[in-house]
Amino acid sequence: MPLTDLTPTEQSILDFERAWWQSPGPKGAAIRTQLQMSPSAYYRRLDAVIDHPDALDLDPLLVRRLRRARADRRRRRYVGPTRRRRLR
């Protein structure tokens, strides 16, 4: 009985995202080599995977970080960059 409803591909996407920075070379090349998919397909799948409730159970720190980064990108896209106040 599987521990999650995530497919093996979805689990491998999370595993890759957790450790891609340890691979030599660009991330796009590592995606093609390790997952046999294009970077655009990878990012579409990753976006869907982090919304899956079982992904949060599998690796809560990674999924929350990715969700936060996605929310920040969307906010910047629609609202624009936020201005930071200078501390005196």
Side-chain angles (χ1 to χ4, degrees), residues 50 55-56 59-71:
I50 63 174
L56 190 61
D59 193 339
L61 292 176
L62 174 68
V63 171
R64 285 187 185 121
R65 178 177 59 82
L66 293 171
R67 286 178 179 177
R68 198 169 38 251
R70 179 180 62 185

Side-chain angles (χ1 to χ4, degrees), residues 4 8-9 21-22 37-39 45 53 55 60 70 76 78 86:
T4 68
T9 302
W21 56 274
Q22 296 172 345
M37 65 176 67
S38 70
R45 294 286 302 266
R70 179 180 62 185
R76 282 193 308 269
Y78 295 112
R86 283 212 240 176

Side-chain angles (χ1 to χ4, degrees), residues 4-48:
T4 68
D5 287 334
L6 295 174
T7 66
T9 302
E10 292 169 335
Q11 289 180 9
S12 66
I13 287 172
L14 286 176
D15 292 340
F16 176 82
E17 189 62 29
R18 185 180 309 109
W20 72 267
W21 56 274
Q22 296 172 345
S23 301
K27 186 175 183 179
I31 290 169
R32 290 183 190 281
T33 303
Q34 294 179 25
L35 300 174
Q36 288 79 41
M37 65 176 67
S38 70
S40 60
Y42 167 79
Y43 286 112
R44 282 192 305 270
R45 294 286 302 266
L46 178 63
D47 196 42

Side-chain angles (χ1 to χ4, degrees), residues 1-6 11 54 57-58:
M1 181 168 198
L3 298 175
T4 68
D5 287 334
L6 295 174
Q11 289 180 9
D54 286 341
D57 293 338
L58 185 66

